[in-house]
Amino acid sequence: MYCRYCGKEITPQAVICVSCGAGLNTGRSFCQNCGGESNSNAEICVKCGVRLARPITEQAEKSKIAAGLLGIFLGFLGIHRFYLGYNNIAVAQLILGLLGIVTCGITSMVSGIWGLVEGIMILTGSIDRDAMGRPLRD
Ligand SMILES: [Zn+2]
Ligand SMILES: [Zn+2]
């Protein structure tokens, strides 16, 4: 493997490049497979033909539809926030949701509306990133 930032060879176990300190796949100047220079907009390495690794911040991993539906139906428990990795907000919603048992459902209603609104915001694209800053998949 090669650093995509500086082109130096790195071990497959490395989390960051020891030569330049860049996180893995944060650069776009070199191919991770052969170390050859690559155009920063290229998808495929012209030298070895391998698909160039994309920076982790650009990889869509979580589904927008799934997150949106989770927010609408299970948002009162913060499930959509757990799914997207926003654990602090998720725990707050979960506590509100569970407190409904002792508040005759009042706090559950608050977190339910909260989750519903966020579910719609996710589906309409107002919330379009997960907690790692990665875009959501359509
Ligand atoms: Zn490097
Ligand atoms: Zn290559």
Side-chain angles (χ1 to χ4, degrees), residues 53-118:
R54 302 185 61 171
I56 196 157
T57 50
E58 293 176 22
Q59 287 173 355
E61 192 184 276
K62 303 291 168 61
S63 157
K64 176 170 144 182
I65 306 289
L69 293 180
L70 284 172
I72 290 168
F73 293 108
L74 294 169
F76 71 105
L77 294 174
I79 305 297
H80 61 303
R81 285 288 186 178
F82 281 115
Y83 177 69
L84 295 178
Y86 295 97
N87 289 334
N88 293 342
I89 298 172
V91 167
Q93 291 173 333
L94 179 65
I95 290 170
L96 280 178
L98 293 179
L99 272 179
I101 298 165
V102 292
T103 60
C104 304
I106 294 168
T107 51
S108 309
M109 218 157 73
V110 172
S111 63
I113 293 168
W114 188 1
L116 175 72
V117 169
E118 287 187 339

Side-chain angles (χ1 to χ4, degrees), residues 31 33-36 45 47-50:
C31 169
N33 186 53
C34 68
C45 174
K47 298 195 174 68
C48 68
V50 83

Side-chain angles (χ1 to χ4, degrees), residues 10 16 22 38 62-63 103 125 129:
I10 47 176
I16 60 162
S38 67
K62 303 291 168 61
S63 157
T103 60
R129 307 245 150 198

Side-chain angles (χ1 to χ4, degrees), residues 13 19 51 82 95 110 120 127:
Q13 296 86 5
S19 303
R51 179 166 289 275
F82 281 115
I95 290 170
V110 172
I120 293 168
I127 298 175

